Amino acid sequence: MSKSRTEAFSDGVIAILITIMVLELRAPEGASLSALRPLIPVFLSYVLSFIYLGIYWNNHHHLFQVVERIDGRVLWANLHLLFWLSLISFVTAWMGENGFAAWPMALYGVVLLMAGFAYYILTRALLAVHAADSTLTQALSRDFKERLSMLIYLVAIPLAFVRPWLAGGLYVMVAIMWLIPDRRMERVLT
């Protein structure tokens, strides 16, 4: 199977998700700068989610640069990832519109955790169709950031019920950790 359709489909879905999120941003009622104040949580949640979708798009792009082949398992694993990414727009809106309240913050973390887990499943499905000495296998040899991210999400989710702002800080910390793209793919390609 060709990987190009999977890449193009994934790119399109992520672009649509970003578009849906920006369409949720509503203009304030009033023309003064103070009219923007109630929209700050909505805007901040949008920025964080935009960054997360950008991180997934960037890493998905890097990942597929070293993919040689795919199969049905990979297609389903990729759809599984896109499902969880598609929920980001919902939890972003809920979180922003409710001023980072406990339940929206916790559910945001659940969606991030599941997206991270889905990405992990995708990489394992890809490894299953590649040889042990493939470029992909070499590139995915260490997955410290993936495991650390999921651990942080597991801490942040229950923390959202005690200190939602700390949970949000952990989500931001993971995003910052991933702003530098996964260089493992670039290293094996050079």
Side-chain angles (χ1 to χ4, degrees):
M1 291 185 185
S2 168
K3 66 178 185 171
S4 61
R5 289 195 64 204
T6 302
E7 285 179 284
F9 179 73
S10 300
D11 288 350
V13 168
I14 292 172
I16 289 168
L17 294 174
I18 289 172
T19 303
I20 289 169
M21 279 191 336
V22 78
L23 292 175
E24 290 292 321
L25 294 177
R26 302 283 184 239
E29 294 182 24
S32 68
L33 285 178
S34 63
L36 291 172
R37 187 171 293 123
L39 298 178
I40 290 173
V42 174
F43 181 73
L44 291 177
S45 63
Y46 166 77
V47 169
L48 181 61
S49 294
F50 182 92
I51 290 169
Y52 265 107
L53 287 173
I55 288 166
Y56 274 101
W57 175 80
N58 197 322
N59 285 316
H60 191 275
H61 173 74
H62 279 88
L63 176 65
F64 272 79
Q65 294 306 301
V66 294
V67 167
E68 297 166 13
R69 69 184 63 79
I70 62 170
D71 66 1
R73 290 175 295 187
V74 172
L75 293 176
W76 281 111
N78 195 65
L79 280 173
H80 180 232
L81 171 63
L82 294 175
F83 169 76
W84 289 105
L85 293 180
S86 73
L87 291 177
I88 287 179
S89 62
F90 168 73
V91 292
T92 298
W94 195 32
M95 186 173 65
E97 291 173 13
N98 291 287
F100 306 108
W103 275 105
M105 288 296 282
L107 189 58
Y108 190 79
V110 168
V111 170
L112 293 177
L113 174 66
M114 294 308 295
F117 186 62
Y119 191 85
Y120 174 81
I121 290 171
L122 174 61
T123 61
R124 297 305 160 244
L126 285 165
L127 286 170
V129 295
H130 286 77
D133 62 344
S134 70
T135 304
L136 177 73
T137 305
Q138 294 170 28
L140 295 177
S141 62
R142 292 174 290 144
D143 60 355
F144 174 75
K145 281 195 325 187
E146 292 96 338
R147 292 178 188 197
L148 180 59
S149 299
M150 289 197 270
L151 177 64
I152 292 170
Y153 296 144
L154 285 171
V155 169
I157 293 165
L159 185 60
F161 295 105
V162 180
R163 297 277 187 263
W165 62 273
L166 275 176
L170 290 175
Y171 303 148
V172 169
M173 185 175 81
V174 172
I176 290 169
M177 186 170 74
W178 282 100
L179 279 176
I180 298 170
D182 194 344
R183 301 271 187 237
R184 296 177 296 174
M185 306 307 161
E186 292 174 0
R187 274 191 227 116
V188 297
L189 287 172
T190 56

